[in-house]
Amino acid sequence: SFKDAFPHLITLLDDAVNMALDADEPVEQNFIRKHYLEDLKNDKTETSARYRVFGCPPGAYGIGILDLIEAQNWKDEHDFAECYVNWGGFAYSKRSPEGIEAKSEFTHRLTTVEVAI
């Protein structure tokens, strides 16, 4: 997987995220900082408010969608969404390069995006 083949890139992405979060600039010009500050106001911890790099569980590959399709074990798009969150809900950062379960944070992050790949 990407995270296993290029762990140094996760560190670089996390460094870039933290630079943006810590930048002293107006939130109208820095949406990542805007969302971070909103998370802190809504009782998110400092650490979880910084999560921006997500992936599959440590030691796993993919996001489980193919298995769901092959097993024909789905009814509608909600089943795919649940699978995507369950398999992709692990945060990776310089502090947690081994990954940490963060499904609620991942779900929250997805509310601010239009497309997820």
Side-chain angles (χ1 to χ4, degrees), residues 55-57 60-64 67 82-90 103:
C56 57
Y61 300 95
I63 57 169
D67 293 335
E82 182 179 352
C83 182
Y84 187 74
V85 169
N86 286 336
W87 275 81
F90 290 79
K103 293 175 186 172

Side-chain angles (χ1 to χ4, degrees), residues 28-56:
E28 297 81 21
Q29 296 177 349
N30 183 340
F31 291 108
I32 192 169
R33 181 168 174 73
K34 175 184 175 185
H35 295 295
Y36 164 72
L37 294 173
E38 288 171 358
D39 286 348
L40 290 178
K41 287 180 188 175
N42 293 321
D43 297 326
K44 296 281 184 189
T45 67
E46 172 77 21
T47 300
S48 68
R50 290 180 175 270
Y51 291 155
R52 294 296 186 285
V53 179
F54 295 90
C56 57

Side-chain angles (χ1 to χ4, degrees), residues 50-112:
R50 290 180 175 270
Y51 291 155
R52 294 296 186 285
V53 179
F54 295 90
C56 57
Y61 300 95
I63 57 169
I65 298 291
L66 185 57
D67 293 335
L68 196 65
I69 293 170
E70 288 177 352
Q72 298 179 353
N73 190 21
W74 60 278
K75 295 177 187 165
D76 57 30
E77 67 272 5
H78 294 95
D79 292 328
F80 289 109
E82 182 179 352
C83 182
Y84 187 74
V85 169
N86 286 336
W87 275 81
F90 290 79
Y92 292 87
S93 66
K94 185 185 277 187
R95 292 180 185 172
S96 299
E98 69 285 346
I100 186 167
E101 187 173 329
K103 293 175 186 172
S104 65
E105 289 85 354
F106 184 48
T107 301
H108 177 68
R109 293 283 165 262
L110 290 172
T111 65
T112 64

